[in-house]
Amino acid sequence: MMRTRPLKVALLGCGVVGSEVARIMTTHADDLAQRIGAPVELAGVAVRRPSKVREGIDPALVTTDATALVKRGDIDVVVEVIGGIEPARSLITTAFEHGASVVSANKALLAQDGAALHAAAEEHGRDLYYEAAVAGAIPLIRPLRESLAGDKVNRVLGIVNGTTNFILDKMDSTGAGYQEALDEATALGYAEADPTADVEGFDAAAKAAILAGIAFHTRVRLDDVYREGMTEVTAADFRSAKEMGCTIKLLAICERARDGASVTARVHPAMIPLSHPLASVRGAYNAVFVESDAAGQLMFYGPGAGGSPTASAVLGDLVAVCRNKLNGTTGPGESAYAALPVSPMGDVVTRYHISLDVADKPGVLAQVATVFAEHGVSIDTVRQQGKDGEASLVVVTHRALDAALTGTVEALRKLDTVRGVASIMRVEGE
């Protein structure tokens, strides 16, 4: 039997995502009511510019006083899509204090203060859901929190930023340089006027922190995530990757150590074999590869950003939270019981592709090989090309500690025969 009194929803933010949430709530109102067991009513919309015309939204619902809106006391669910740290953090905690559960798409805030927000939700007996914070419409948070709750996740490897994947895909498929591909992404609306958060890996790092925390039942903050952007990736790197049967992606990688005693979370460009499922992810799409003990290998794929895809994830959370409200329950909160330490990047073991500019003369390869051996880094393959006294030396290693590789590169730079280190890139997905 359906309840006739509606559940009231406050919307914080009415930009690309917020306006789409409001539209779906209106156009799909009957279906949402049937799925929830009660109608949902948009009770207020907090914005910065109230004079802007917002199609389909009653102007009487619009306010600039977000704090007053979440303090009303009759609000059942607050949907936060304004982003940033403040005032989002204060508004969310205020919502909990005044009886509302929260659905958020705020990856930056959750990566920085997720533990405190979960604690506040638990203290007041409210829900905190955030499927839309990672990978847009792709169902990922809920499978990790619920579907795989009885399994042991060992690794999460993914493309979680559409802008960077579009740029790298263009560089791969057309031979374009980084700036040329970025300009095209900007012209098509895939990149912001200031693309720093995307291309320097900040966006992906926030998502990696969230994924690692859920996957490993451990608190992982943004500061725990090693981050390396993709602005230094060149067309020459792609040519080298193709010679190895690889392509290059900006990856978010969350791993449990082989002994299970620690975890790592990192974001950086990496070569991956063309045979790996992530290698075929094109354009602005996202994909996440999950490896667990019982389920084995799982892949989640789809549009990772945009108004409609992100709104889809928000509405899915809204339905779940409203159902919980009707049943007098809450969904799963933070699971951080494992409390595993987060190891630094120096403890990570992986393969490397190193391109060196060297003098084209006898004995250079022997000198380089000696440096690798002295630092405990085993060489898998070497390729050398040169003329007119200069040469390019490409070394691919076996798996080695990041700290050992760092020491190796520092020693290589001191060799008289090494003119420079053209590029260093990790090799993943094998």
Side-chain angles (χ1 to χ4, degrees):
M1 181 176 179
M2 182 178 294
R3 192 180 85 165
T4 56
R5 183 171 68 83
L7 293 163
K8 294 189 175 184
V9 178
L11 179 61
L12 307 183
C14 198
V16 173
V17 176
S19 59
E20 189 66 9
V21 169
R23 184 192 69 80
I24 295 173
M25 284 184 63
T26 301
T27 58
H28 296 181
D30 292 341
D31 284 340
L32 290 172
Q34 292 295 329
R35 295 167 191 172
I36 292 168
V40 288
E41 172 190 318
L42 187 59
V45 182
V47 299
R48 286 184 294 178
R49 296 185 295 274
S51 60
K52 180 179 178 181
V53 176
R54 294 173 172 85
E55 186 177 350
I57 297 178
D58 184 351
L61 297 177
V62 177
T63 178
T64 57
D65 194 342
T67 301
L69 178 59
V70 300
K71 281 184 174 180
R72 274 177 36 174
D74 65 335
I75 300 296
D76 294 292
V77 183
V78 169
V79 174
E80 183 272 307
V81 288
I82 57 177
I85 306 303
E86 287 292 356
R89 174 170 49 198
S90 297
L91 291 170
I92 289 174
T93 54
T94 300
F96 292 144
E97 293 165 0
H98 288 78
S101 291
V102 173
V103 173
S104 176
N106 197 331
K107 54 188 170 288
L109 178 57
L110 289 159
Q112 178 173 306
D113 290 320
L117 294 178
H118 275 293
E122 184 177 0
E123 177 185 354
H124 296 285
R126 307 301 169 196
D127 273 323
L128 175 61
Y129 276 52
Y130 43 91
E131 184 68 62
V134 179
I138 304 172
L140 184 59
I141 301 296
R142 195 165 299 142
L144 286 172
R145 289 174 77 174
E146 301 177 28
S147 303
L148 296 174
D151 205 344
K152 179 183 178 184
V153 176
N154 296 310
R155 196 176 198 225
V156 180
L157 173 78
I159 299 164
V160 294
N161 183 278
T163 299
T164 56
N165 199 59
F166 178 88
I167 293 170
L168 292 172
D169 184 38
K170 280 295 175 183
M171 293 176 70
D172 184 29
S173 61
T174 69
Y178 166 76
Q179 189 60 50
E180 183 183 351
L182 172 60
D183 290 344
E184 182 174 353
T186 304
L188 292 172
Y190 289 122
E192 301 287 345
D194 179 2
T196 303
D198 295 321
V199 300
E200 293 294 352
F202 291 101
D203 175 83
K207 296 170 181 176
I210 294 169
L211 291 174
I214 296 170
F216 307 133
H217 306 279
T218 291
R219 287 179 179 169
V220 179
R221 299 181 73 246
L222 181 58
D223 291 345
D224 296 321
V225 181
Y226 172 84
R227 178 194 55 79
E228 184 181 320
M230 49 156 282
T231 57
E232 301 301 317
V233 176
T234 66
D237 291 326
F238 274 99
R239 288 193 293 271
S240 294
K242 287 181 178 180
E243 289 174 356
M244 292 179 59
C246 293
T247 189
I248 299 171
K249 300 291 186 181
L250 184 76
L251 299 178
I253 305 169
C254 312
E255 290 180 307
R256 189 188 300 269
R258 291 188 178 184
D259 62 5
S262 65
V263 299
T264 58
R266 49 196 167 103
V267 168
H268 54 72
M271 294 182 179
I272 57 172
L274 294 175
S275 58
H276 194 281
L278 292 179
S280 62
V281 178
R282 310 303 297 268
Y285 273 70
N286 285 190
V288 178
F289 205 69
V290 178
E291 300 174 9
S292 68
D293 277 0
Q297 297 179 331
L298 307 169
M299 184 165 161
F300 302 84
Y301 170 83
S308 294
T310 306
S312 171
V314 169
L315 267 295
D317 278 351
L318 179 63
V319 169
V321 169
C322 285
R323 286 171 175 170
N324 291 342
K325 184 81 172 183
L326 289 179
N327 293 328
T329 63
T330 56
E334 182 188 34
S335 175
Y337 72 91
L340 296 170
V342 182
S343 296
M345 187 64 191
D347 292 346
V348 170
V349 176
T350 190
R351 296 182 68 205
Y352 297 86
H353 176 281
I354 305 103
S355 180
L356 305 171
D357 295 326
V358 299
D360 187 16
K361 62 182 184 180
V364 173
L365 180 56
Q367 284 185 325
V368 169
T370 298
V371 170
F372 276 87
E374 288 174 347
H375 288 80
V377 179
S378 177
I379 294 175
D380 183 16
T381 62
V382 178
R383 185 174 70 256
Q384 183 173 2
Q385 294 177 327
K387 62 179 180 178
D388 300 328
E390 298 296 329
S392 173
L393 189 65
V394 176
V395 178
V396 179
T397 74
H398 287 289
R399 290 173 61 85
L401 276 173
D402 186 88
L405 196 282
T406 299
T408 302
V409 172
E410 290 175 356
L412 288 171
R413 293 183 193 276
K414 296 177 182 179
L415 292 177
D416 292 338
T417 52
V418 175
R419 310 299 194 213
V421 180
S423 70
I424 305 170
M425 192 165 295
R426 296 168 183 87
V427 182
E428 299 286 347
E430 296 184 315

